[in-house]
Amino acid sequence: MYPPLVQTVFCRDMTERQALAAGRLLAKVWPKPEKGPRERAAQVLQRGRDYEGPDERGPRSLIIYEGDRLDGERVTAHALVFPRLVRFTGVGEQEVLGLSLVAADPDCRGQGLGAAVVRAAFDLVDEGFCRFAYFQTSNEVLPFYQRMGAVRAENRVFNSLSDIDPTADPFWDEARVRYPKGDAWPTGEIDLLGPGY
């Protein structure tokens, strides 16, 4: 069996049709009454609209379409990656690779689709896009990322730009995760300089 074809679609260039295909998968994996396919598609498109940097570093969706078709109707796996500026205590500001909206169609379990899109994200780090990836996940899903070389990040995290509580943790899942593992990861606190993702 061939590895699945992971396609990169920059959020700035994404069509409504592509976004809606991704939105259908995201709504299926994380059903919420207020976040159907259109709302999930809007999340992806908004990431592109909010980005102000150079095009080649822009937010992108890593997508697997059913049957590996280019721009197919059915997305079977998705991950959103984007550069995110954070401030490490004692080190200063650094750009990390944010990872969010990772989903694989439950009807396609066992095919390695989720691992393929995450591996594509981690490959960006390995190729020098950013020194680290930094994101959140649940304790239940953490072993999935650990099998690919990620580890739990123990740093305290906060958002100094929050209007509500600038000392509160802006993430909502239990585990903060970094990739790659190793001792180069800065110690001390992390100011996320914005909301969680």
Side-chain angles (χ1 to χ4, degrees):
M1 181 174 199
Y2 294 104
L5 174 64
V6 178
Q7 299 176 46
T8 299
V9 182
F10 283 85
C11 296
R12 280 183 174 171
D13 302 328
M14 186 174 280
T15 66
E16 294 284 339
R17 180 172 167 255
Q18 288 172 314
L20 190 55
R24 282 193 289 271
L25 171 66
L26 297 170
K28 178 179 182 178
V29 172
W30 297 301
K32 291 186 177 181
E34 73 281 7
K35 288 189 179 175
R38 293 198 180 283
E39 290 78 14
R40 290 293 189 182
Q43 280 184 281
V44 175
L45 293 172
Q46 190 63 48
R47 183 66 70 175
R49 284 193 292 271
D50 290 345
Y51 177 70
E52 297 177 350
D55 288 344
E56 68 274 7
R57 294 190 59 77
R60 64 203 73 180
S61 284
L62 305 171
I63 296 175
I64 299 173
Y65 289 104
E66 183 177 44
D68 288 346
R69 290 180 308 195
L70 294 173
D71 194 14
E73 288 294 328
R74 182 168 175 242
V75 170
T76 55
H78 177 272
L80 179 66
V81 295
F82 48 91
R84 178 65 181 258
L85 191 66
V86 302
R87 183 180 301 121
F88 291 94
T89 303
V91 176
E93 291 182 353
Q94 285 190 17
E95 209 171 55
V96 296
L97 183 76
L99 175 65
S100 67
L101 300 178
V102 177
D105 193 320
D107 296 336
C108 302
R109 285 221 167 95
Q111 297 179 27
L113 303 180
V117 293
V118 170
R119 183 70 259 159
F122 288 173
D123 284 348
L124 288 170
V125 175
D126 294 341
E127 293 162 7
F129 182 87
C130 289
R131 194 165 174 200
F132 303 104
Y134 182 62
F135 55 99
Q136 65 175 319
T137 192
S138 67
N139 285 330
E140 179 184 2
V141 177
L142 178 61
F144 164 78
Y145 292 105
Q146 289 173 321
R147 286 190 292 273
M148 288 186 279
V151 294
R152 186 185 294 270
E154 300 293 349
N155 313 61
R156 178 182 171 276
V157 62
F158 62 99
N159 171 18
S160 66
L161 304 179
S162 171
D163 293 334
I164 300 169
D165 183 355
T167 66
D169 188 334
F171 285 136
W172 48 90
D173 278 328
E174 307 96 346
R176 292 6 151 209
V177 184
R178 64 180 173 94
Y179 173 88
K181 60 185 170 185
D183 56 9
W185 179 253
T187 59
E189 299 180 332
I190 299 172
D191 184 351
L192 209 56
L193 300 172
Y197 50 88

